[in-house]
Amino acid sequence: MEGQGISGSGRPGTQAGLGPLPMPHGISQTGAPSKMDSCFQLPAKENAAPVRSEPRITVVTWNVGTAMPPDDVTSLLHLGSSSDDSDRADMIAIGLQEVNSMINKRLKDALFTDQWSELFMDALGPFNFVLVSTVRMQGVILLLFAKYYHLPFLRDVQTDCTRTGLGGYWGNKGGVSVRLAAFGHMLCFLNCHLPAHMEKAEQRKDNFQTILSLQQFQGPGAQGILDHDLVFWFGDLNFRIESYDLHFVKFAIDSEQLHQLWEKDQLNMAKNTWPILRGFQEGPLNFAPTFKFDVGTNKYDTSAKKRKPAWTDRILWKVKAPGGGPSPSGRESHRLQVTQHSYHSHMEYTVSDHKPVAAQFVLHFAFRDDVPLVRLDVADEWVRPEQAVVRYRVETVFARSSWDWIGLYRVGFRHCKDYVAYVWAKHEDVDGNIYQVTFSEESLPKGHGDFILGYYSHTHSILIGVTEPFQISLPTSELASSSTDSSGASSEDEDDSTLELLASKSRSPSPGKSKRHRSRSPGLARFPGLALRPSSCERRGTSRSPSPQSRRLPRVAPNRGSDGGSQGNSEEGPPGLPGSWAFPPSVPQSLGLLPALRLETVDPGGGSSWGPDREAPASDSLSPSPQGQQGLEEGGLGP
């Protein structure tokens, strides 16, 4: 994932740390009535039948033309558009192209979440969507969301990206992908930005073939993109309308005779002649061409260039045929089926010269793997601190890690590190494979609110168990204020940290997962890394995750504002680290873009700084959080 950190408190990845999230059992063992949507719901009683086995997926593609985000995207995402659940999605994939990637914007986005990702997370959070994974390659971004109660049933989330611009050296063109197993079925989402202009059709085909051949994933089953049970291919594919001149194209659009343009659409013609497109399907183009418009209007290009309108923004899908090799799930006779529910553009958005396109799909599963690895048991309400006890049952096939933790989330949380408190999932046996942990009183949020508990697996880098919402009603007292004062003071003493922006070995969203995301490009050269290090006045914004890296550093959980949560323990780092990880005097150059930030060159081989008599630890061990491990050109934006 192309690296992008986020500011946050000093606790594990707070306000940060987007990462792959698989899905646990959406039900707590409390006996409380279910508060979850009917989609994919597992009933409170394990012997009851599931309510619905057909997940719905929304796919969105939008070339935003370096524009600032609009104020509202609810109509684009079909949120609250109808009283029934016909348009309600279980997963949403959003592909963006031409996000502003000027150097000052990219450096800012590397430290904070970019504005487009913030927009979609803010819009989807209140509807119970959580960011599962994200990947960025310069201006090409892919965001994948899912309802939080599906997280226990998503596994093996991986990302990849391929540059094709300037012969593979530049990421303005290319493809980014997220793949995962959803309820036992292998899915892949591929967002592409292909070369522009009428005469570049063959180059578009070559680039697509390059992306398919270079992107590979780890693990058994689906290793290449086309090995997956289902592939969604979308983006600014830049195919144009041949033969007809500008006046005829506009006449056909105005007179709603779009069918006359279909047969001259380059992508439609290529489906019959390019073997690489065999099996890809697309719904009818019953909407007007989505490019090129005058920004701020619904008028086609009136500039001197007068570009001919075209359907450049497309969404296609491919189901692996029974004869296309073994099923990744190993169940050859139980292939999934896909039905497209809708496919249209959204003319109401005028910030770009492209119109966004959205499609809704219904997946028909012949089987579902819906057994969570961890089941959490929590009381209906916490009214006293001593009630903050969580019991959880672990499946025998689940390999626990000493770095696993349980997070406390407000209802509407945006991603797996967006918690208000956490506790390490210690090995405290209660009965057999049942364990118990307790939240400290000072870490609990004061006041009244609805919350969710989630079990985060360090091995899987995902939430693998969640509860239904429950209530916390703790009195606000001087204890809350003293906790705030204490955590505020601790943030002043927080250690220096390093945020890797570009390093050849920093391509993973989590420690020890260096192969979960890779960037492949034809002819991509290796460059020395760059590291941004905040000075002491900026340290409190560093994002940390409960990971082996974070354990090596002094770590004190700062105040989370009104939540009042604080983890008061600190742990010393290993001996031999440079004092406070300061810059060597020989590298005093300031960026001038962000306060108190400096560039430091990092040796991609060993991670050592270029400075006199300084020996810094390897780049893989410097970052105190998984987010810090992401490279500028290889990872997602992210909290």
Side-chain angles (χ1 to χ4, degrees):
M1 225 157 94
E2 291 203 273
Q4 197 163 336
I6 276 211
S7 66
S9 65
R11 291 185 300 172
T14 331
Q15 304 277 345
L18 322 174
L21 312 169
M23 307 186 139
H25 194 292
I27 305 295
S28 65
Q29 315 299 314
T30 62
S34 174
K35 304 174 184 178
M36 306 183 339
D37 286 1
S38 60
C39 306
F40 273 9
Q41 179 181 347
L42 290 180
K45 295 181 179 180
E46 296 186 23
N47 59 356
V51 175
R52 192 170 84 187
S53 61
E54 298 178 345
R56 296 170 185 260
I57 296 179
T58 295
V59 179
V60 175
T61 179
W62 193 1
N63 184 320
V64 299
T66 71
M68 295 289 290
D71 294 331
D72 183 38
V73 289
T74 54
S75 64
L76 175 62
L77 301 174
H78 297 267
L79 301 176
S81 59
S82 60
S83 57
D84 61 18
D85 66 348
S86 60
D87 284 337
R88 293 180 185 173
D90 298 284
M91 299 177 65
I92 297 179
I94 302 170
L96 305 176
Q97 307 87 38
E98 291 193 25
V99 175
N100 192 334
S101 57
M102 297 295 288
I103 183 62
N104 58 334
K105 283 290 296 177
R106 289 296 286 123
L107 288 175
K108 182 179 179 181
D109 292 347
L111 297 177
F112 311 97
T113 314
D114 72 277
Q115 292 174 303
W116 283 96
S117 296
E118 285 281 357
L119 170 70
F120 287 111
M121 285 191 290
D122 288 343
L124 290 168
F127 292 88
N128 293 326
F129 282 97
V130 175
L131 185 62
V132 175
S133 185
T134 179
V135 55
R136 178 170 187 171
M137 181 182 67
Q138 286 182 212
V140 184
I141 297 177
L142 176 56
L143 304 161
L144 182 62
F145 294 87
K147 291 289 183 71
Y148 78 87
Y149 43 81
H150 298 331
L151 296 182
F153 314 114
L154 303 186
R155 308 284 163 78
D156 197 18
V157 183
Q158 299 181 42
T159 65
D160 207 345
C161 66
T162 303
R163 304 172 184 85
T164 59
L166 295 179
Y169 285 90
W170 197 241
N172 64 321
K173 296 293 191 294
V176 296
S177 62
V178 174
R179 85 82 171 265
L180 73 162
F183 292 84
H185 301 266
M186 299 301 299
L187 312 182
C188 184
F189 299 86
L190 175 62
N191 173 29
C192 290
H193 192 186
L194 301 183
H197 304 303
M198 180 76 70
E199 67 277 8
K200 297 291 183 64
E202 285 297 320
Q203 187 176 344
R204 287 188 274 275
K205 177 182 72 171
D206 293 341
N207 282 10
F208 185 46
Q209 289 178 322
T210 297
I211 293 168
L212 293 180
S213 62
L214 290 182
Q215 296 207 3
Q216 298 289 317
F217 303 97
Q218 299 295 314
Q223 296 182 344
I225 289 178
L226 298 183
D227 294 333
H228 292 74
D229 291 320
L230 174 61
V231 177
F232 290 102
W233 174 41
F234 51 97
D236 181 0
L237 307 185
N238 258 321
F239 289 98
R240 307 305 172 98
I241 298 173
E242 291 188 351
S243 303
Y244 300 133
D245 61 17
L246 172 64
H247 298 289
F248 182 82
V249 172
K250 285 190 173 182
F251 168 78
I253 296 171
D254 294 338
S255 58
E256 298 183 354
Q257 299 181 32
L258 299 178
H259 62 278
Q260 297 191 49
L261 306 179
W262 294 348
E263 61 184 15
K264 296 300 181 181
D265 173 76
Q266 289 180 331
L267 181 55
N268 282 336
M269 294 188 293
K271 291 175 187 175
N272 300 321
T273 58
W274 293 359
I276 195 68
L277 296 181
R278 185 175 296 117
F280 278 97
Q281 303 178 62
E282 183 182 22
L285 297 170
N286 290 328
F287 51 91
T290 55
F291 174 83
K292 171 180 171 66
F293 289 87
D294 292 338
V295 175
T297 74
N298 286 328
K299 296 180 179 180
Y300 285 105
D301 187 18
T302 60
S303 68
K305 292 184 178 180
K306 287 186 169 54
R307 295 283 176 82
K308 188 164 58 174
W311 286 290
T312 57
D313 310 279
R314 312 288 279 270
I315 300 172
L316 297 88
W317 75 95
K318 180 178 182 178
V319 178
K320 190 172 183 180
S327 169
S329 63
R331 308 184 190 188
E332 185 73 28
S333 61
H334 297 288
R335 300 276 179 175
L336 62 82
Q337 297 179 340
V338 178
T339 301
Q340 188 176 64
H341 185 266
S342 65
Y343 185 32
H344 58 271
S345 65
H346 287 261
M347 297 292 289
E348 67 270 25
Y349 295 96
T350 62
V351 299
S352 168
D353 56 357
H354 290 251
K355 299 299 181 184
V357 175
Q360 288 79 43
F361 300 90
V362 178
L363 275 57
H364 308 276
F365 286 165
F367 70 92
R368 288 192 308 149
D369 289 339
D370 54 9
V371 178
L373 296 176
V374 175
R375 300 173 189 263
L376 299 168
D377 183 10
V378 63
D380 293 339
E381 186 177 12
W382 292 352
V383 295
R384 298 185 306 277
E386 57 267 23
Q387 291 180 307
V389 177
V390 184
R391 288 193 176 189
Y392 58 96
R393 180 186 298 273
V394 177
E395 294 293 321
T396 56
V397 296
F398 173 55
R400 299 182 62 204
S401 167
S402 58
W403 301 106
D404 292 354
W405 47 274
I406 295 174
L408 178 66
Y409 303 88
R410 290 190 183 277
V411 169
F413 71 103
R414 307 189 310 167
H415 50 82
C416 66
K417 305 294 178 65
D418 190 16
Y419 52 75
V420 298
Y422 78 96
V423 62
W424 295 102
K426 300 177 182 178
H427 293 258
E428 298 177 1
D429 291 13
V430 175
D431 179 20
N433 59 346
I434 300 178
Y435 305 90
Q436 175 176 300
V437 294
T438 304
F439 282 85
S440 62
E441 180 176 354
E442 59 270 18
S443 71
L444 296 175
K446 304 306 183 288
H448 180 82
D450 293 327
F451 294 84
I452 293 168
L453 287 167
Y455 186 104
Y456 184 90
S457 167
H458 172 72
T459 303
H460 293 274
S461 299
I462 51 175
L463 288 175
I464 58 167
V466 295
T467 67
E468 288 182 347
F470 67 99
Q471 292 185 344
I472 295 181
S473 302
L474 297 178
T476 56
S477 65
E478 52 271 357
L479 289 178
S481 60
S482 64
S483 172
T484 301
D485 295 339
S486 171
S487 58
S490 66
S491 65
E492 296 294 334
D493 301 327
E494 195 173 345
D495 60 291
D496 283 314
S497 61
T498 298
L499 176 60
E500 297 275 342
L501 284 188
L502 178 59
S504 57
K505 291 189 176 181
S506 298
R507 298 182 176 178
S508 170
S510 65
K513 295 290 192 306
S514 60
K515 294 185 179 180
R516 291 186 69 87
H517 169 82
R518 299 166 312 285
S519 169
R520 288 187 171 80
S521 302
L524 180 63
R526 301 293 183 187
F527 296 99
L530 294 177
L532 274 180
R533 300 188 179 190
S535 65
S536 58
C537 63
E538 297 296 319
R539 295 168 198 158
R540 70 194 66 180
T542 304
S543 165
R544 303 188 187 280
S545 288
S547 65
Q549 281 76 1
S550 64
R551 286 245 176 172
R552 298 173 186 170
L553 308 172
R555 174 171 50 86
V556 179
N559 176 37
R560 286 291 299 261
S562 60
D563 296 334
S566 173
Q567 303 295 329
N569 59 316
S570 64
E571 301 175 24
E572 295 298 328
L577 285 177
S580 74
W581 292 1
F583 279 103
S586 60
V587 192
Q589 186 177 3
S590 174
L591 283 177
L593 299 175
L594 297 171
L597 290 177
R598 296 174 177 174
L599 270 180
E600 179 182 359
T601 311
V602 176
D603 177 8
S608 59
S609 304
W610 290 358
D613 302 321
R614 289 275 185 167
E615 185 173 316
S619 60
D620 283 348
S621 66
L622 282 177
S623 174
S625 71
Q627 291 68 33
Q629 294 284 350
Q630 301 166 358
L632 175 63
E633 290 301 324
E634 300 152 16
L637 348 170

